Amino acid sequence: MNDPNGLVFYEGVYHLFFQYHPHSSVWGPMHWGHATSRDLVHWQEHALALAPDELGMIFSGSVVFDAHNTSGLAPQGQAPLVAIFTHSQPSTEALGSPHQHQSLAWSLDAGATWQKYQGNPVLQSPGLKDFRDPKVFWHATTARWVMSVACGDHIAFYASEDLKNWSMLSRFGQAMGAQGGVWECPDLVALTLHGRERWVLLVSVTSGGPQGGSATQYFVGDFDGRTFTAEHADVRWLDWGPDNYAGVTWSNTPGRCLFIGWMSNWLYAAKLPTAPWRGAMTLPRELQLREMDGHAWLCTPVAAEIESAFQSGSVIQIQTSHDLSQALANSQGRCRLTLTADAATSWALQLSNAQGDIWRLHYKPETRQFGVDRTMAGQSDFHPEFAACHLAPRFAHSSVIHLQVYLDACLMETIADDGLSAITSLSFPSSTWTGIEREGNVDVSLQTL
């Protein structure tokens, strides 16, 4: 599995569709897999939602609840879920010719089954080789649907009143932001800061991320219904780790902006030492804006449902390193470590196991940087760039650092200062982490689900 697709909240259920190859653990003909949850913690997988056809593979896209049946795809008196996705034809890809177009499917049974629109594609490529990953939302001010679509080195915006007929609005991003690779998976969302509506555009880039390979950048600005205008020129990363990519947000969640990403990196995604499965998602995050030094910055704390799940579990206040190691061993490597540390001094936290693997988290006040070191954290010979120390800046100015590390088998998500800094990374230890050592002025507690 890779990119999350078609995220929608409908009738009390969170739907997660995702890029999926059901016949192999490496990338191939893309389908849409499907899973659902009522609490963002416990998930149930369902049958395939969309499969390749004569128009091509089923690449990334989005799902909206067409509450007023503007598409006319549902019988009178009903409202469909509508999927907007990319049809991609691999036969012409090597030639560099246009081969990616946007298509529709709809569901009348809450996403259990889908029917493709006979008029597909509804938006053909304007002569571009890369033209994919449509993310659609209802723009209330102009009373129409707005689509963001990735176009190689920029994002194009289109509008429609019925999800079938689309007209060009504007383009954004040429010669802006990180341009180390192809732009993918755009998502334009409205957030509120100090009572004022601000817009954030998420853009994933296939290479050139802060740790090498793929990563997700963002732009804060304004959207007037036609044009997005960024208010800054610097490159900003949603996550400073190597393994949070192609993330997008759920639709139909008024008052909340919930996000989830694919927890991998295109540098080594096809070579990860896992079997028989390969690929995972990050924990759901709740996107927020916070003002720092007069600028709006994006924060990515975990969703409230994840917080609640841990708060309802057992909490172990650690008195000694032996207590901490015993608690970690008992958790079988699935837990949350909560750290409170002095921002004026250096400190570190180190995980280990009986085989001698070491995962290390540190902070250095002189550089105001967090670091996650996986150079000795287990198997890494599958790719020369996997074993590395990943650094992230600290943006907060408080004298105390509050930080959480979420562990689950090979998945490690480090989130500091309520999401202002995040490092999401994989590691493949030889066995479960059973030992912890602390250096410097840092307090640690452990919580299990």
Side-chain angles (χ1 to χ4, degrees), residues 3-26:
D3 303 4
N5 301 152
L7 308 182
V8 62
F9 181 66
Y10 180 68
E11 295 185 342
V13 175
Y14 293 96
H15 293 263
L16 165 65
F17 300 91
F18 50 91
Q19 290 286 277
Y20 181 47
H21 187 0
H23 310 301
S24 174
S25 60
V26 296

Side-chain angles (χ1 to χ4, degrees), residues 257-271:
C257 190
L258 293 168
F259 165 99
I260 199 168
W262 172 47
M263 198 164 176
S264 196
N265 191 305
W266 280 123
L267 279 177
Y268 42 71
K271 300 178 181 179

Side-chain angles (χ1 to χ4, degrees), residues 325-369:
S325 296
Q326 188 61 52
L328 179 62
N330 292 340
S331 75
Q332 297 183 334
R334 187 182 187 189
C335 62
R336 177 178 70 177
L337 301 173
T338 299
L339 285 66
T340 303
D342 184 355
T345 61
S346 297
W347 55 264
L349 179 77
Q350 184 169 290
L351 306 184
S352 60
N353 60 22
Q355 285 70 35
D357 299 328
I358 294 174
W359 180 91
R360 185 177 174 84
L361 166 68
H362 70 257
Y363 177 73
K364 295 182 178 180
E366 61 270 23
T367 59
R368 291 182 52 83
Q369 287 182 318

Side-chain angles (χ1 to χ4, degrees), residues 174-326:
Q174 289 175 312
M176 294 185 65
Q179 293 280 351
V182 175
W183 281 22
E184 296 187 316
C185 304
D187 194 356
L188 182 62
V189 298
L191 298 175
T192 301
L193 180 63
H194 302 322
R196 173 190 162 194
E197 183 180 74
R198 308 283 275 276
W199 290 82
V200 175
L201 177 64
L202 307 180
V203 178
S204 293
V205 58
T206 56
S207 58
Q211 311 299 343
S214 50
T216 300
Q217 61 183 321
Y218 72 90
F219 302 87
V220 181
D222 179 65
F223 180 67
D224 62 4
R226 174 173 293 275
T227 303
F228 174 79
T229 305
E231 61 187 45
H232 59 92
D234 57 319
V235 177
R236 300 186 182 181
W237 299 106
L238 177 138
D239 192 304
W240 289 81
D243 297 313
N244 188 344
Y245 188 65
V248 288
T249 62
W250 267 272
S251 66
N252 201 36
T253 58
R256 303 183 71 187
C257 190
L258 293 168
F259 165 99
I260 199 168
W262 172 47
M263 198 164 176
S264 196
N265 191 305
W266 280 123
L267 279 177
Y268 42 71
K271 300 178 181 179
L272 297 181
T274 61
W277 49 267
R278 181 175 282 135
M281 297 296 170
T282 68
L283 289 173
R285 311 277 183 92
E286 193 145 4
L287 301 188
Q288 303 167 358
L289 286 176
R290 189 187 308 177
E291 184 176 331
M292 296 293 299
D293 301 324
H295 300 281
W297 296 88
L298 188 63
C299 300
T300 62
V302 297
E305 289 83 350
I306 306 299
E307 281 290 311
S308 297
F310 277 101
Q311 289 172 2
S312 63
S314 60
V315 180
I316 303 171
Q317 297 294 336
I318 305 305
Q319 301 299 323
T320 68
S321 294
H322 178 269
D323 294 338
L324 183 56
S325 296
Q326 188 61 52

Side-chain angles (χ1 to χ4, degrees), residues 42 120 126 128 253 283 294 375 412:
H42 305 89
N120 285 335
L128 299 174
T253 58
L283 289 173
T375 56
M412 315 284 278

Side-chain angles (χ1 to χ4, degrees), residues 18-190:
F18 50 91
Q19 290 286 277
Y20 181 47
H21 187 0
H23 310 301
S24 174
S25 60
V26 296
W27 191 93
M30 285 290 99
H31 301 58
W32 270 23
H34 185 201
T36 58
S37 174
R38 290 188 176 274
D39 61 4
L40 295 173
V41 178
H42 305 89
W43 292 85
Q44 178 182 356
E45 190 171 0
H46 302 282
L48 285 171
L50 297 172
D53 55 31
E54 66 279 1
L55 292 179
M57 296 182 286
I58 311 298
F59 272 22
S60 296
S62 50
V63 168
V64 297
F65 173 47
D66 187 8
H68 301 291
N69 195 24
T70 62
S71 62
L73 294 172
Q76 188 173 0
Q78 297 186 46
L81 291 176
V82 180
I84 308 95
F85 60 91
T86 297
H87 261 127
S88 183
Q89 298 173 320
S91 59
T92 59
E93 187 168 0
L95 303 177
S97 59
H99 62 284
Q100 296 180 340
H101 313 285
Q102 317 318 319
S103 295
L104 302 182
W106 77 93
S107 174
L108 299 177
D109 55 9
T113 60
W114 293 84
Q115 183 173 343
K116 292 172 184 170
Y117 178 52
Q118 289 189 347
N120 285 335
V122 296
L123 178 60
Q124 296 193 3
S125 171
L128 299 174
K129 177 180 180 243
D130 297 298
F131 185 67
R132 58 178 177 268
D133 311 335
K135 187 65 163 66
V136 173
F137 69 95
W138 178 257
H139 188 249
T141 303
T142 56
R144 59 187 180 183
W145 300 100
V146 172
M147 175 196 294
S148 308
V149 60
C151 301
D153 64 350
H154 66 280
I155 304 302
F157 299 103
Y158 289 81
S160 174
E161 296 181 356
D162 60 4
L163 293 170
K164 300 174 182 176
N165 300 283
W166 295 90
S167 58
M168 179 77 177
L169 292 176
S170 61
R171 299 184 185 274
F172 169 83
Q174 289 175 312
M176 294 185 65
Q179 293 280 351
V182 175
W183 281 22
E184 296 187 316
C185 304
D187 194 356
L188 182 62
V189 298

